[in-house]
Amino acid sequence: MANYLIDTHTHIHDPTDRELSAADTFKHAREQGVEKIITIGTDPDNSMQAKAFAEEWAAKGEQIFWTYGYHPNEYVEKDRANLADVAKMASEVLKSPRNVGVGEIGLDYHFDGYSTEMQQELLLEMLQLAQDNQKPVSFHVRDAFDDFWPIFDNFKLPTSVMHSFSDSKKNLNEALNRGLYIGVNGLSTFADIAHPPLERMIFETDAPYLTPKPFRGTMNKPGYVKHIAEWATEYYKVDFGTVAKITTENAEKIFKI
Ligand SMILES: [Zn+2]
């Protein structure tokens, strides 16, 4: 029985996103019962950094995995001409033994100044990549669900995840009805948001962002999954072992880790 936790969405491969050294980040995580970590790429260069980091630390015995991602707000006009080449190269690096998925990808209409047309163009390319390689996806969708669902429905993906969900109950149900799992993070410890049933939940930190209580105001790290799990024991009124077992087994099934 899985009695440890997993951080399924973090950004620890870039040293500027870490408070501690890589070695100490892993050590801290283990001390908190977080045994496996998935570090998430956010653009082509950043994803290659994630790959190198995961391969390096896996060789040293860490249970570290990575995903190839291209965040909607990282795709700018000058990148457009290269998109097909980038996708072709991504398809090659997905063969890395430590790769467990595609993401984060999605739509984010929260901030002005980003073309919705370009975001959708990128999302289509990345969904094709995930579908062709049958990789699970870590989705980032913010203030854009009306456009997102019709695009999502055109693809056949392995069981995937809506990361950092903080939208309406209606969109939560849209996600659950489509078989998506929900990545729950520190937001749950301080914000009033809709929550999935425990059976459809996995944990993530999204470190260095979204630090859970009681560490608000400091940099987040994978070990803090423990505090999200503790929040869940209170919210769902179940013991820690049950929370760990369900969320960890979900993550292991989805990402095959
Ligand atoms: Zn993220």
Side-chain angles (χ1 to χ4, degrees):
M1 169 176 146
N3 61 353
Y4 51 89
L5 300 166
I6 301 181
D7 187 354
T8 63
H9 185 123
T10 187
H11 302 278
I12 57 167
H13 49 279
D14 185 337
T16 61
D17 287 337
R18 270 190 272 115
E19 189 178 62
L20 306 172
S21 70
D24 284 343
T25 300
F26 288 116
K27 184 165 172 275
H28 175 264
R30 243 192 323 275
E31 284 164 1
Q32 306 298 308
V34 179
E35 296 281 348
K36 298 181 184 177
I37 297 173
I38 303 176
T39 196
I40 302 280
T42 54
D43 68 32
D45 288 344
N46 182 275
S47 295
M48 294 311 288
Q49 206 180 349
K51 174 180 183 288
F53 180 87
E55 290 174 355
E56 177 193 345
W57 287 91
K60 294 176 186 169
E62 298 295 346
Q63 302 221 59
I64 174 82
F65 309 88
W66 71 282
T67 64
Y68 187 97
Y70 206 155
H71 188 287
N73 293 347
E74 299 293 338
Y75 181 59
V76 295
E77 193 63 45
K78 70 169 174 52
D79 303 324
R80 277 183 115 166
N82 296 329
L83 184 58
D85 285 347
V86 161
K88 204 184 282 171
M89 241 173 60
S91 205
E92 280 305 307
V93 298
L94 288 183
K95 293 176 185 135
S96 156
R98 305 309 290 182
N99 177 276
V100 295
V102 171
E104 49 191 301
I105 62 169
L107 299 174
D108 191 330
Y109 296 174
H110 189 70
F111 299 104
D112 292 335
Y114 298 95
S115 151
T116 58
E117 184 201 332
M118 278 178 59
Q119 290 195 32
Q120 293 178 28
E121 169 184 299
L122 174 64
L123 176 60
L124 285 169
E125 195 74 40
M126 291 294 113
L127 280 169
Q128 193 64 49
L129 175 74
Q131 179 176 276
D132 289 348
N133 292 279
Q134 281 300 296
K135 292 278 185 177
V137 173
S138 183
F139 284 109
H140 170 102
V141 182
R142 196 177 182 195
D143 300 343
F145 280 99
D146 289 348
D147 282 354
F148 176 75
W149 294 127
I151 296 172
F152 175 87
D153 289 342
N154 278 327
F155 290 85
K156 289 224 176 328
L157 301 171
T159 303
S160 292
V161 177
M162 186 58 68
H163 130 81
S164 195
F165 181 85
S166 60
D167 206 273
S168 64
K169 190 91 192 158
K170 175 184 172 287
N171 279 319
L172 177 63
N173 285 328
E174 296 280 354
L176 294 171
N177 291 340
R178 286 170 169 85
L180 287 165
Y181 280 62
I182 308 296
V184 167
N185 56 40
L187 270 178
S188 295
T189 68
F190 61 86
D192 184 20
I193 55 176
H195 290 111
L198 197 51
E199 304 74 55
R200 296 292 288 281
M201 182 184 294
I202 61 174
F203 289 138
E204 60 177 44
T205 57
D206 205 17
Y209 316 106
L210 302 175
T211 309
K213 272 189 185 174
F215 300 105
R216 301 288 303 146
T218 71
M219 221 168 174
N220 203 356
K221 43 174 101 47
Y224 288 170
V225 165
K226 184 183 172 188
H227 300 280
I228 303 160
E230 278 168 356
W231 162 84
T233 63
E234 282 173 35
Y235 184 86
Y236 294 94
K237 300 190 177 22
V238 287
D239 62 83
F240 193 90
T242 305
V243 166
K245 177 179 154 50
I246 293 174
T247 57
T248 290
E249 288 178 0
N250 284 346
E252 290 178 340
K253 201 172 62 192
I254 295 166
F255 294 106
K256 302 182 181 66
I257 56 176

